[in-house]
Amino acid sequence: MRDKLYLAGFLLAAGLLLYVGRGLLERSALVTGVLVFAGTTAVGVLGLTLYQVQNQLLASRRELARKEAEINFAREVQVALFPRQFPTDSGLEFSAVCVPAAGISGDYYDVLQLSDGRLAFAVADVSGKGLPAAILMSNLHAGLHILVEAGHSPAELCAQLNRHLCQFTEAYRFATLFYAEWNSSERCLTYVNAGHTEPLLVGANGSRRLATGSLPIGLFPATQFHVATTVLAPGDVVVVYSDGITEAGVLEAEPFGERRLEAVVKAHRHQPLSEIEREVLTAVENWSGKDPGDDMTLLLVRATAAMGEAL
Amino acid sequence: MKIEGHRLRDLVRLLAPLFELIAAVWALRMVAFAAGARPGSVWLHIISVTVAGAVSILLAVLMIHHRRFGSYPSVVVTVFLLIAWEELLISAAIAFATITGTVNVYSVAKYSFGRAPWHHIAAQLTLILGSRTILGAAMGCLLLWMLRRVDPMEGQRAEGGKRKAVGSRS
């Protein structure tokens, strides 16, 4: 209160002095003062505005650096979720790659050698991109590992994953999943395709798609998942991929498409899987440009000859 | 006398460099005149006590904000002290010229509008002091307000910094 009185007192005194001294000097003396104070105020306001802009710029840079550090950390965590090495004595050989569009990926691939001798592999594509998709992807990874170890059949495994996602994610979040189990003694692949792009099977007798499908997981709790089987001959190559591969370049002109993918795989079918993988990525890059518009995942699986069996 | 918890003596101590700045410009202006610079010349436009006073107010607002030396009442008192010091120096120079019968930059007819020296001193200590205090207070308060928005100190920050709760239950 006393401070306010001082404030009012000083301003009143200034007003009083102004009143008492009116007419003592020409108005131009006042104009000079007004111009000087207005000019200084303008300089001060300009300086403060520049300071504010600089502060905002610095804050943006810090925020950007923090987010980049977070994404780098998330990328490290995510890299650890992908298999470090593939099983070698199961009758299948593997090669896989995941190229994220936004630093971290919502795509997922996995190859699981289970304690009971079963071998499973999966490719999933979570809706969206970046951090939200990556968080859901890690959730999917954990769920899949737990359910596979529990010994569920492919259909039951997908049903449980579906219920889990429906329960714990928003309605617009879902994932497509291709899950397969390999029986090496019968050379039989049992799979469920939950809304995923149809994998390509390239063999000596041509190529076909593993077309049996169901809805993606995480959309409807009561979705039924259809199981299909196929026998793999030695040398057959199964190409499981995310839509980032076939839809590459869709924004610029025509998408890369399944036909081109099939042509590349067919042309290099007898080469090592890592070579086929390289050829596919090069073809996609040449088609669409350097930066992927969507996460790209490619899992190549080749049936090898059993012991004593010739190709 | 205490303003916003600070003694007037402490405020004067805080403003001491600015009093010195105004005094230095005041002296320099007289030296420039003695050296041959005439009223209306570029040098006397640049070496101006009025400009020094305005710049001092700007610097005082920055000091008050960054040293947390009060708020708007402190700015108004500061402005009054700085302008009063400026006008006292000018009045002293006019009085000295009148008493000694000499001429200095503050007693020349261009700045006194041809009025008698004592009339000029009265004008400096009433009209000019009053008007510039009001102008300076408006300028200082505006700058302090802006400064608080641009660079809020602890305790002045908005509530925007509160973190969002994740997964809270009730």
Side-chain angles (χ1 to χ4, degrees):
Chain A
M1 184 61 191
R2 199 171 58 173
D3 295 328
K4 283 181 184 166
L5 281 177
Y6 282 138
L7 180 73
F10 272 95
L11 288 175
L12 204 64
L16 201 62
L17 287 171
L18 181 62
Y19 179 76
V20 169
R22 75 191 187 286
L24 284 179
L25 276 184
E26 311 301 317
R27 280 196 178 165
S28 60
L30 286 177
V31 172
T32 309
V34 170
L35 288 177
V36 168
F37 278 85
T40 312
T41 308
V43 169
V45 168
L46 187 69
L48 286 174
T49 309
L50 289 175
Y51 180 66
Q52 185 177 26
V53 169
Q54 191 196 17
N55 273 356
Q56 284 171 345
L57 205 68
L58 279 174
S60 304
R61 276 187 192 159
R62 275 197 290 268
E63 181 67 10
L64 206 66
R66 192 182 63 79
K67 282 192 174 160
E68 206 171 293
E70 276 180 6
I71 285 182
N72 283 340
F73 179 68
R75 188 187 296 139
E76 282 173 25
V77 172
Q78 189 174 50
V79 165
L81 296 181
F82 289 113
R84 292 194 180 92
Q85 55 187 31
F86 297 120
T88 49
D89 54 352
S90 57
L92 292 179
E93 61 171 310
F94 298 92
S95 180
V97 66
C98 177
V99 184
I104 46 177
S105 169
D107 281 5
Y108 164 58
Y109 68 83
D110 215 339
V111 178
L112 302 99
Q113 176 77 70
L114 302 170
S115 48
D116 60 5
R118 283 183 301 147
L119 180 76
F121 60 90
V123 171
D125 181 357
V126 175
S127 62
K129 284 195 282 283
L131 206 54
I135 291 172
L136 197 55
M137 171 258 173
S138 67
N139 193 303
L140 194 66
H141 169 273
L144 187 74
H145 274 248
I146 291 167
L147 292 170
V148 168
E149 281 293 349
H152 292 290
S153 69
E156 178 56 22
L157 179 142
C158 287
Q160 289 215 23
L161 268 180
N162 178 50
R163 281 195 291 274
H164 175 75
L165 284 194
C166 286
Q167 190 177 356
F168 292 109
T169 59
E170 299 94 336
Y172 59 88
R173 296 254 177 233
F174 62 91
T176 64
L177 171 72
F178 178 83
Y179 174 80
E181 283 185 10
W182 170 243
N183 183 328
S184 57
S185 57
E186 294 171 16
R187 307 195 63 83
C188 179
L189 195 66
T190 306
Y191 63 89
V192 172
N193 188 346
H196 201 74
T197 48
E198 293 170 359
L200 185 65
L201 173 58
V202 181
N205 303 322
S207 62
R208 65 185 175 89
R209 306 213 153 260
L210 304 184
T212 308
S214 315
L215 288 170
I217 55 172
L219 279 180
F220 306 107
T223 303
Q224 298 287 319
F225 293 93
H226 307 294
V227 177
T229 56
T230 188
V231 174
L232 297 184
D236 283 356
V237 176
V238 179
V239 185
V240 195
Y241 55 93
S242 65
D243 57 4
I245 300 265
T246 44
E247 289 175 10
V250 71
L251 294 177
E252 288 77 17
E254 197 185 340
F256 183 69
E258 280 103 12
R259 275 193 309 108
R260 288 183 187 85
L261 173 66
E262 190 177 330
V264 174
V265 176
K266 269 184 178 172
H268 301 89
R269 189 171 78 86
H270 297 294
Q271 292 181 6
L273 291 181
S274 57
E275 188 64 25
I276 303 175
E277 178 187 300
R278 202 176 58 79
E279 291 295 339
V280 170
L281 291 182
T282 305
V284 171
E285 190 183 300
N286 290 341
W287 183 259
S288 66
K290 285 263 176 197
D291 295 322
D294 194 3
D295 302 329
M296 296 196 297
T297 297
L298 180 67
L299 173 66
L300 298 168
V301 185
R302 178 183 276 147
T304 54
M307 290 285 246
E309 194 176 348
L311 269 174
Chain B
M1 182 179 171
K2 276 191 168 182
I3 299 141
E4 296 184 300
H6 300 286
R7 285 182 301 181
L8 194 59
R9 195 193 311 161
D10 297 329
L11 185 61
V12 171
R13 198 174 294 150
L14 177 79
L15 299 175
L18 302 178
F19 288 128
E20 287 166 12
L21 171 73
I22 291 170
V25 172
W26 171 80
L28 197 63
R29 189 172 167 83
M30 288 218 285
V31 170
F33 181 78
R38 292 300 117 198
S41 68
V42 177
W43 282 110
L44 289 189
H45 273 303
I46 295 169
I47 308 164
S48 161
V49 178
T50 308
V51 173
V55 171
S56 298
I57 292 170
L58 184 73
L59 296 174
V61 170
L62 289 174
M63 283 158 70
I64 286 172
H65 176 68
H66 285 294
R67 297 190 188 180
R68 300 183 191 186
F69 208 93
S71 178
Y72 299 105
S74 299
V75 169
V76 172
V77 174
T78 296
V79 169
F80 183 80
L81 290 175
L82 290 171
I83 301 291
W85 172 242
E86 180 190 321
E87 297 309 322
L88 276 176
L89 288 175
I90 293 171
S91 300
I94 299 169
F96 180 78
T98 308
I99 292 164
T100 58
T102 53
V103 176
N104 62 40
V105 68
Y106 300 103
S107 67
V108 290
K110 180 175 167 58
Y111 297 127
S112 63
F113 297 97
R115 308 283 172 104
W118 302 112
H119 186 108
H120 186 193
I121 290 174
Q124 290 288 352
L125 294 177
T126 53
L127 179 73
I128 303 293
L129 176 58
S131 63
R132 289 190 185 166
T133 300
I134 290 171
L135 282 172
M139 168 188 153
C141 290
L142 173 70
L143 291 177
L144 182 64
W145 177 77
M146 273 196 76
L147 199 56
R148 285 181 161 189
R149 290 173 66 91
V150 169
D151 184 22
M153 310 293 278
E154 281 301 318
Q156 296 173 354
R157 290 187 197 280
E159 290 295 295
K162 278 187 179 173
R163 289 175 189 278
K164 273 186 187 172
V166 175
S168 63
R169 293 198 177 105
S170 55

